[in-house]
Amino acid sequence: DPPIILSTGVTRSVQLSDRTCIAELASHTYGGNDWIMNAFEGWIASPLDLTLGIEIDGSLRALENLRLVDDGRTGWIEALRVHPTVRRRGLAMRLQSELIKAAKDRWPTIERFRYTTASFIPASLKIANACGMKAVHRWGLS
């Protein structure tokens, strides 16, 4: 049998018309109570946010937002989501790398990028390291 070739998708800006696909992404996070459904319209409306996604076969299958903070010196990265059917294909790393590059192009004042993740999510730590980030603070509750 010939190999199955999976589309790598197209990175693009997320739009309000992506609501159904975003709801599908959100249904797989936090027991279906993902906070991104209440946030994404604000991201798209804000001149200080850049929200990119990866569309595969006509559906948005990954997204991430970057918010400009700290008087334009810091890009705050949040809400990385990849649909379960397309995980483990490098989409998260690709998306975060492309988001950082697009933010640098849009806002040359950015000096650093930051985000918060849990130490028990090794994939997130690997992506951060690959994008040139390093752990600055570690904290937890006991």
Side-chain angles (χ1 to χ4, degrees):
D1 292 332
I4 298 172
I5 299 173
L6 300 173
S7 172
T8 58
V10 175
T11 303
R12 64 170 177 80
S13 294
V14 173
Q15 302 169 13
L16 292 176
S17 59
D18 292 315
R19 174 177 276 290
T20 302
C21 290
I22 293 170
E24 170 63 19
L25 276 171
S27 72
H28 300 282
T29 307
Y30 302 125
N33 296 303
D34 196 337
W35 61 273
I36 65 171
M37 289 308 298
N38 295 322
F40 94 93
E41 288 183 20
W43 297 337
I44 292 169
S46 173
L48 299 178
D49 284 79
L50 175 60
T51 311
L52 295 183
I54 297 177
E55 181 179 318
I56 299 173
D57 298 330
S59 295
L60 194 72
R61 290 295 182 219
L63 73 80
E64 189 168 37
N65 187 65
L66 184 142
R67 175 171 297 128
L68 193 62
V69 297
D70 193 24
D71 295 321
R73 295 189 312 265
T74 303
W76 181 262
I77 300 170
E78 61 187 352
L80 177 59
R81 303 289 186 272
V82 178
H83 195 278
T85 61
V86 295
R87 288 184 185 154
R88 305 195 56 78
R89 291 171 42 186
L91 296 176
M93 190 170 304
R94 174 181 142 199
L95 182 58
Q96 188 158 305
S97 295
E98 291 180 6
L99 183 63
I100 288 171
K101 182 184 180 320
K104 286 179 182 177
D105 290 346
R106 181 181 285 187
W107 300 297
T109 59
I110 291 181
E111 300 170 5
R112 62 192 156 262
F113 296 90
R114 293 193 170 149
Y115 74 89
T116 302
T117 190
S119 62
F120 58 83
I121 306 176
S124 183
L125 299 172
K126 181 180 176 182
I127 293 166
N129 287 331
C131 291
M133 292 185 238
K134 62 182 185 205
V136 176
H137 299 288
R138 290 182 184 257
W139 57 273
L141 303 172
S142 61

